[in-house]
Amino acid sequence: MRLELLDPRHDPEPPGWEKLRRAAGQYVTWRYDLLRAYAWAAQAPVLLAVLSEGDVAVGAVSASLRGVRPRRGSYASGRDVAGVVDVHAPGNRSLKGWWFTGVPEPERRRELLRAYVRGVRQALGPGWRGVLWREVSPGEAAQLPGVVKARLPTAPLARLATPSGIDEWYARLHGTRGASLRSWARRLAADSRLSIRVGPARDLVTGAEACALRARNDLKYRNRLFPLAPLPLPYFDGLVGSDEVVAVAYRDGGRLVGLCLTLDHRTWPICLSWGGLPPGDGGRKHLYFDFYVRMVEWAVETGKAGLVLGKGKADIKRSLGADLVPSSAIAVPF
């Protein structure tokens, strides 16, 4: 087994990376130019590992190197001498920070992750005390190497199976939720000033527009103790410019007032982000709920198995018919 450790800010894209990403069915957020933009804007250095068996790359792990001194509002600089390796997907809480292709056997995966832990521990030095694995699904802890030190439940992941049609989806929702969604969708569609379009993001929105709306939303909800910087414009230029992102765009005249970005996938697309202006600033009430209606309609029309609605607002997503999949963060000492 071979391990290659990379800093996406400085190291060139490894040979065959895009082929490996696509073979594993990984989303565009793992494309190397997006990893580089994400890493430059991160508060902690990003460490990308490529796992190989012989000369064949079979998987990857992405982690943030969380040093012992939190840096409020600053960007990543050099590595600290002590801390924790925080394994998580870059820019997407709905995905795991590790994946494989062509390695179905749990024991082989465990061996590869064990080699990853050994290699990272040797590269970082004795001050680094362990690994925090995020978004661990039920039954998956057995694949992780080492002895579990602590397990912390995290926000569940909402997944909505595609209904046979939009009317069937409305009908199966509890209480008045279905009738309310239908009524709001009709009112918004009848708004003569409001344009609602669904399609490839690159045809509907610019990177600058997506960046500004996402930053506004992120700054409203970010943690006050450890505030994260919004994702930068180069990230959204790459994201929106790809052929793997679908948008629901709401415009009043020419002004973008609401935007959902979804990572397309042959079976389970992921609703990546939502941002909208408040009604007092030109937005509309209920756009947040309406974009779910538009995405369910799109999933039905395109034959998707379902939609990953992401994490957060679990009660709302459950009221929309989503199943909540438990998730945990697991700490394993070196």
Side-chain angles (χ1 to χ4, degrees), residues 50 56 104 129 140-141 158 161 163 172 175 182 195 197 236 266 281 288 299 317 328 332:
V50 179
V56 180
R129 306 310 300 163
E140 202 169 35
R172 77 186 190 193
R182 188 197 303 268
S195 165
R197 295 185 62 191
F236 283 96
R266 60 184 179 274
D281 194 19
Y288 174 78
K317 293 170 182 176
S328 300
V332 181

Side-chain angles (χ1 to χ4, degrees), residues 175-186:
T176 62
R177 175 65 81 190
S180 297
L181 289 171
R182 188 197 303 268
S183 175
W184 296 336
R186 286 175 176 172

Side-chain angles (χ1 to χ4, degrees), residues 14-36:
W17 173 258
E18 187 65 7
K19 181 179 179 180
L20 175 66
R21 175 184 79 85
R22 290 185 177 272
Q26 290 303 313
Y27 296 82
V28 68
T29 46
W30 287 91
R31 206 173 67 188
Y32 203 77
D33 60 325
L34 291 179
L35 291 175
R36 178 176 287 118

Side-chain angles (χ1 to χ4, degrees), residues 11 25 29 67 113 116 125 186 198 216-218 229 286 298 302 328:
D11 295 325
T29 46
L113 292 178
Y116 165 77
R186 286 175 176 172
V198 182
R216 180 172 183 149
N217 189 72
D218 287 352
H286 310 308
W298 173 81
T302 54
S328 300

